[in-house]
């Protein structure tokens, strides 16, 4: 199984429009530090699943018929923006699995085109594509939001973006199943007060310690966290890495 990160940025991305902080200046001069909307693609044994569609070039990344399904974490614009163009295209219907959300992104629901939003995923429900099993995990965010636990032949990945902490049931599930890789939201540097919609470094480290995945990669990263990490390069404990666009994780054959 292989997971490729297509984007690792928070809303606004890096560099942030109009910002001249050290992280934004670095990203403008060094493309490797640019962060696009948080998203990924999972591939194995002929199965190809996209996780979120916030990049506006989504249709160029995934030509018609190249995906088995799209897994949406939630319906905020930085996770669905790439769907607005492709819905008017031609070709087979694209199944879009996501949380039950009566509002969703209203215009997409009203005019779905070739997008099929009917396969709603309930918390802890699972679906299978070949030998791949995906379980939906509820997260804590300002809209109904799901993370995804992906299993294939003994390997497992948890994809958990846009959350502040975890619901007890989700935490218990992850502790019991201990992912090989946990892709975890971390938008902010350490804060004095508990954050509301996205993890800060304190919460992310706390979740890594309590769940004990083999490895944690941080995603949905804001420019202020990148700037803080530039000033504190040794702040993260072992086992936690700051992911970047283009990173790839692959299980042992």
């Amino acid at each position: 199984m292989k997971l490729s990160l297509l984007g690792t940025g928070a809303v606004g991305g890096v560099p942030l429009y109009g910002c001249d902080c050290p992280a934004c200046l670095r990203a403008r001069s060094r493309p490797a530090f640019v962060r696009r909307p948080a998203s990924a693609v999972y591939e194995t044994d002929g199965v190809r699943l996209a996780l979120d569609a916030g990049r506006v070039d989504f249709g160029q990344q995934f030509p018609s018929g190249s995906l088995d399904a799209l897994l949406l974490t939630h319906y905020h614009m930085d996770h669905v923006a790439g769907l607005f163009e492709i819905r008017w295209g031609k070709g087979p219907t694209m199944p879009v699995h996501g949380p039950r959300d009566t509002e969703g992104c209203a215009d997409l629901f009203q005019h779905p085109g070739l997008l099929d939003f009917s396969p709603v995923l309930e918390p802890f429900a699972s679906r299978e594509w070949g030998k791949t099993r995906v379980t939906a995990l509820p997260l804590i965010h300002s809209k109904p939001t799901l993370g995804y636990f992906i299993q294939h032949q003994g390997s497992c990945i948890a994809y958990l973006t846009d959350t502040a902490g975890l619901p007890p049931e989700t935490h218990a599930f992850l502790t019991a199943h201990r992912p090989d890789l946990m892709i975890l939201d971390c938008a902010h540097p350490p804060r004095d007060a508990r954050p509301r919609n996205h993890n800060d470094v304190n919460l992310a480290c706390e979740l890594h310690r309590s769940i004990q995945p083999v490895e944690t990669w941080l995603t949905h990263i804001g420019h202020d966290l990148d700037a803080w990490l530039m000033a504190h390069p040794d702040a993260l404990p072992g086992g936690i890495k700051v992911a970047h666009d283009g990173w790839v994780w692959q299980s042992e054959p």
Side-chain angles (χ1 to χ4, degrees), residues 6-29:
L6 306 177
T8 56
V11 63
V14 182
L16 186 70
Y17 180 76
C19 181
D20 289 328
C21 75
C24 291
L25 290 174
R26 180 181 64 175
R28 289 192 184 97
S29 63

mmCIF file of all heavy atoms in Angstrom, residues 6-29:
data_model
loop_
_atom_site.group_PDB
_atom_site.id
_atom_site.type_symbol
_atom_site.label_atom_id
_atom_site.label_comp_id
_atom_site.label_asym_id
_atom_site.label_seq_id
_atom_site.Cartn_x
_atom_site.Cartn_y
_atom_site.Cartn_z
ATOM 1 N N LEU A 6 -0.594 14.936 -1.428
ATOM 2 C CA LEU A 6 -0.706 15.923 -2.511
ATOM 3 C C LEU A 6 -0.656 17.341 -1.976
ATOM 4 O O LEU A 6 -0.366 18.282 -2.715
ATOM 5 C CB LEU A 6 -2.004 15.701 -3.279
ATOM 6 C CG LEU A 6 -2.212 14.281 -3.820
ATOM 7 C CD1 LEU A 6 -3.569 14.167 -4.489
ATOM 8 C CD2 LEU A 6 -1.099 13.898 -4.774
ATOM 9 N N GLY A 7 -0.961 17.519 -0.701
ATOM 10 C CA GLY A 7 -0.916 18.818 -0.056
ATOM 11 C C GLY A 7 -0.872 18.642 1.441
ATOM 12 O O GLY A 7 -1.401 17.663 1.979
ATOM 13 N N THR A 8 -0.228 19.588 2.131
ATOM 14 C CA THR A 8 -0.085 19.497 3.590
ATOM 15 C C THR A 8 -0.395 20.828 4.272
ATOM 16 O O THR A 8 -0.039 21.026 5.423
ATOM 17 C CB THR A 8 1.360 19.076 3.961
ATOM 18 O OG1 THR A 8 2.277 20.011 3.366
ATOM 19 C CG2 THR A 8 1.672 17.665 3.472
ATOM 20 N N GLY A 9 -1.068 21.730 3.561
ATOM 21 C CA GLY A 9 -1.269 23.066 4.084
ATOM 22 C C GLY A 9 -2.627 23.286 4.733
ATOM 23 O O GLY A 9 -3.616 22.645 4.386
ATOM 24 N N ALA A 10 -2.657 24.228 5.672
ATOM 25 C CA ALA A 10 -3.918 24.705 6.244
ATOM 26 C C ALA A 10 -4.582 25.639 5.240
ATOM 27 O O ALA A 10 -4.026 25.972 4.191
ATOM 28 C CB ALA A 10 -3.647 25.435 7.555
ATOM 29 N N VAL A 11 -5.805 26.065 5.555
ATOM 30 C CA VAL A 11 -6.491 27.005 4.681
ATOM 31 C C VAL A 11 -5.621 28.260 4.526
ATOM 32 O O VAL A 11 -5.048 28.756 5.477
ATOM 33 C CB VAL A 11 -7.891 27.346 5.235
ATOM 34 C CG1 VAL A 11 -7.808 28.046 6.597
ATOM 35 C CG2 VAL A 11 -8.676 28.183 4.247
ATOM 36 N N GLY A 12 -5.483 28.749 3.316
ATOM 37 C CA GLY A 12 -4.578 29.862 3.049
ATOM 38 C C GLY A 12 -3.250 29.398 2.505
ATOM 39 O O GLY A 12 -2.588 30.121 1.762
ATOM 40 N N GLY A 13 -2.845 28.182 2.854
ATOM 41 C CA GLY A 13 -1.625 27.607 2.328
ATOM 42 C C GLY A 13 -0.368 28.323 2.792
ATOM 43 O O GLY A 13 -0.393 29.229 3.619
ATOM 44 N N VAL A 14 0.743 27.872 2.270
ATOM 45 C CA VAL A 14 2.054 28.501 2.504
ATOM 46 C C VAL A 14 2.752 28.600 1.150
ATOM 47 O O VAL A 14 2.906 27.581 0.483
ATOM 48 C CB VAL A 14 2.915 27.672 3.474
ATOM 49 C CG1 VAL A 14 4.248 28.364 3.735
ATOM 50 C CG2 VAL A 14 2.189 27.437 4.818
ATOM 51 N N PRO A 15 3.132 29.801 0.694
ATOM 52 C CA PRO A 15 3.065 31.075 1.427
ATOM 53 C C PRO A 15 1.637 31.623 1.506
ATOM 54 O O PRO A 15 0.844 31.449 0.582
ATOM 55 C CB PRO A 15 3.950 31.999 0.592
ATOM 56 C CG PRO A 15 3.843 31.447 -0.804
ATOM 57 C CD PRO A 15 3.752 29.962 -0.645
ATOM 58 N N LEU A 16 1.343 32.286 2.596
ATOM 59 C CA LEU A 16 0.052 32.935 2.780
ATOM 60 C C LEU A 16 0.041 34.256 2.018
ATOM 61 O O LEU A 16 1.027 35.000 2.025
ATOM 62 C CB LEU A 16 -0.180 33.190 4.269
ATOM 63 C CG LEU A 16 -1.549 33.741 4.666
ATOM 64 C CD1 LEU A 16 -2.627 32.672 4.471
ATOM 65 C CD2 LEU A 16 -1.526 34.220 6.114
ATOM 66 N N TYR A 17 -1.069 34.523 1.358
ATOM 67 C CA TYR A 17 -1.197 35.743 0.561
ATOM 68 C C TYR A 17 -0.838 36.984 1.384
ATOM 69 O O TYR A 17 -1.381 37.216 2.468
ATOM 70 C CB TYR A 17 -2.631 35.855 0.054
ATOM 71 C CG TYR A 17 -2.922 37.077 -0.789
ATOM 72 C CD1 TYR A 17 -2.500 37.146 -2.112
ATOM 73 C CD2 TYR A 17 -3.626 38.155 -0.258
ATOM 74 C CE1 TYR A 17 -2.775 38.260 -2.888
ATOM 75 C CE2 TYR A 17 -3.906 39.273 -1.026
ATOM 76 C CZ TYR A 17 -3.472 39.317 -2.345
ATOM 77 O OH TYR A 17 -3.749 40.424 -3.110
ATOM 78 N N GLY A 18 0.110 37.768 0.900
ATOM 79 C CA GLY A 18 0.469 39.037 1.523
ATOM 80 C C GLY A 18 1.361 38.944 2.739
ATOM 81 O O GLY A 18 1.696 39.971 3.336
ATOM 82 N N CYS A 19 1.757 37.723 3.126
ATOM 83 C CA CYS A 19 2.544 37.562 4.357
ATOM 84 C C CYS A 19 4.028 37.480 4.036
ATOM 85 O O CYS A 19 4.446 36.791 3.098
ATOM 86 C CB CYS A 19 2.109 36.303 5.101
ATOM 87 S SG CYS A 19 3.014 36.034 6.656
ATOM 88 N N ASP A 20 4.839 38.160 4.854
ATOM 89 C CA ASP A 20 6.285 38.139 4.692
ATOM 90 C C ASP A 20 6.985 37.573 5.926
ATOM 91 O O ASP A 20 8.102 37.970 6.260
ATOM 92 C CB ASP A 20 6.815 39.547 4.399
ATOM 93 C CG ASP A 20 6.436 40.027 3.009
ATOM 94 O OD1 ASP A 20 6.326 39.179 2.098
ATOM 95 O OD2 ASP A 20 6.220 41.246 2.829
ATOM 96 N N CYS A 21 6.310 36.636 6.609
ATOM 97 C CA CYS A 21 6.971 35.967 7.724
ATOM 98 C C CYS A 21 8.086 35.074 7.163
ATOM 99 O O CYS A 21 8.132 34.799 5.959
ATOM 100 C CB CYS A 21 5.972 35.146 8.538
ATOM 101 S SG CYS A 21 5.456 33.595 7.747
ATOM 102 N N PRO A 22 9.000 34.592 8.005
ATOM 103 C CA PRO A 22 10.112 33.774 7.499
ATOM 104 C C PRO A 22 9.664 32.546 6.710
ATOM 105 O O PRO A 22 10.282 32.187 5.705
ATOM 106 C CB PRO A 22 10.857 33.379 8.777
ATOM 107 C CG PRO A 22 10.575 34.485 9.739
ATOM 108 C CD PRO A 22 9.161 34.901 9.446
ATOM 109 N N ALA A 23 8.572 31.910 7.149
ATOM 110 C CA ALA A 23 8.111 30.705 6.451
ATOM 111 C C ALA A 23 7.571 31.040 5.064
ATOM 112 O O ALA A 23 7.805 30.296 4.102
ATOM 113 C CB ALA A 23 7.046 29.996 7.282
ATOM 114 N N CYS A 24 6.846 32.136 4.951
ATOM 115 C CA CYS A 24 6.279 32.518 3.658
ATOM 116 C C CYS A 24 7.368 32.991 2.699
ATOM 117 O O CYS A 24 7.343 32.677 1.498
ATOM 118 C CB CYS A 24 5.210 33.585 3.846
ATOM 119 S SG CYS A 24 3.723 32.954 4.682
ATOM 120 N N LEU A 25 8.339 33.733 3.209
ATOM 121 C CA LEU A 25 9.458 34.147 2.361
ATOM 122 C C LEU A 25 10.237 32.927 1.876
ATOM 123 O O LEU A 25 10.645 32.856 0.703
ATOM 124 C CB LEU A 25 10.375 35.091 3.139
ATOM 125 C CG LEU A 25 9.807 36.480 3.449
ATOM 126 C CD1 LEU A 25 10.769 37.250 4.353
ATOM 127 C CD2 LEU A 25 9.538 37.267 2.167
ATOM 128 N N ARG A 26 10.440 31.948 2.740
ATOM 129 C CA ARG A 26 11.149 30.727 2.343
ATOM 130 C C ARG A 26 10.391 29.973 1.249
ATOM 131 O O ARG A 26 10.978 29.515 0.263
ATOM 132 C CB ARG A 26 11.346 29.817 3.564
ATOM 133 C CG ARG A 26 12.068 28.526 3.254
ATOM 134 C CD ARG A 26 12.223 27.653 4.488
ATOM 135 N NE ARG A 26 10.945 27.202 5.028
ATOM 136 C CZ ARG A 26 10.832 26.346 6.046
ATOM 137 N NH1 ARG A 26 11.925 25.890 6.666
ATOM 138 N NH2 ARG A 26 9.642 25.979 6.492
ATOM 139 N N ALA A 27 9.074 29.864 1.414
ATOM 140 C CA ALA A 27 8.283 29.122 0.438
ATOM 141 C C ALA A 27 8.268 29.806 -0.925
ATOM 142 O O ALA A 27 8.215 29.137 -1.959
ATOM 143 C CB ALA A 27 6.857 28.942 0.955
ATOM 144 N N ARG A 28 8.321 31.138 -0.930
ATOM 145 C CA ARG A 28 8.335 31.841 -2.224
ATOM 146 C C ARG A 28 9.643 31.612 -2.983
ATOM 147 O O ARG A 28 9.651 31.605 -4.214
ATOM 148 C CB ARG A 28 8.098 33.337 -2.006
ATOM 149 C CG ARG A 28 6.680 33.668 -1.580
ATOM 150 C CD ARG A 28 6.380 35.160 -1.644
ATOM 151 N NE ARG A 28 5.040 35.400 -1.128
ATOM 152 C CZ ARG A 28 4.775 35.789 0.120
ATOM 153 N NH1 ARG A 28 5.773 35.999 0.954
ATOM 154 N NH2 ARG A 28 3.543 35.965 0.518
ATOM 155 N N SER A 29 10.721 31.410 -2.271
ATOM 156 C CA SER A 29 12.014 31.230 -2.928
ATOM 157 C C SER A 29 12.407 29.765 -3.085
ATOM 158 O O SER A 29 13.265 29.433 -3.904
ATOM 159 C CB SER A 29 13.107 31.960 -2.139
ATOM 160 O OG SER A 29 13.247 31.410 -0.835
#
